[in-house]
Amino acid sequence: MQRLTKEEVFALVDSLDFEVIEFERVRPHNKSEIRRKDSMQRAAFKQMVADAFEDSHQPGGDIELRIPSSNKILVGHHDGIYWLA
């Protein structure tokens, strides 16, 4: 796993062709996960990422965002670390 910088995450988000970012929130629960679809405007999503980097915490648990151009998933961990899976 190679951690991404805030600028690298922003570049991935800016590469998407849509203004409303659709992603999944993922929270651990006992032996499984709770997945919930969520969406927000691009600017709000980038602000959430910036806050997570600054605070070393992402409220609401982990996130997963599919990046269609690379067929990878941007993973945002609840402690403010991002990587591609």
Side-chain angles (χ1 to χ4, degrees), residues 47-59 77 79-82:
Q47 186 61 54
M48 177 185 70
V49 169
D51 292 344
F53 270 97
E54 185 175 320
D55 300 340
S56 296
H57 173 71
Q58 181 169 271
H77 199 255
D79 59 5
I81 297 172
Y82 291 80

Side-chain angles (χ1 to χ4, degrees), residues 16-52:
L16 301 173
D17 290 336
F18 28 86
E19 195 58 36
V20 176
I21 307 298
E22 296 182 2
F23 59 97
E24 280 192 309
R25 292 194 181 268
V26 183
R27 296 188 62 113
H29 180 68
N30 295 334
K31 294 182 180 179
S32 63
E33 300 173 330
I34 298 174
R35 291 182 167 268
R36 182 174 53 91
K37 293 189 183 292
D38 200 352
S39 64
M40 58 179 59
Q41 295 289 323
R42 181 190 312 262
F45 187 88
K46 287 171 71 173
Q47 186 61 54
M48 177 185 70
V49 169
D51 292 344

Side-chain angles (χ1 to χ4, degrees), residues 5-24:
T5 65
K6 179 172 61 172
E7 292 74 21
E8 290 171 323
V9 175
F10 283 1
L12 285 169
V13 172
D14 287 338
S15 75
L16 301 173
D17 290 336
F18 28 86
E19 195 58 36
V20 176
I21 307 298
E22 296 182 2
F23 59 97
E24 280 192 309

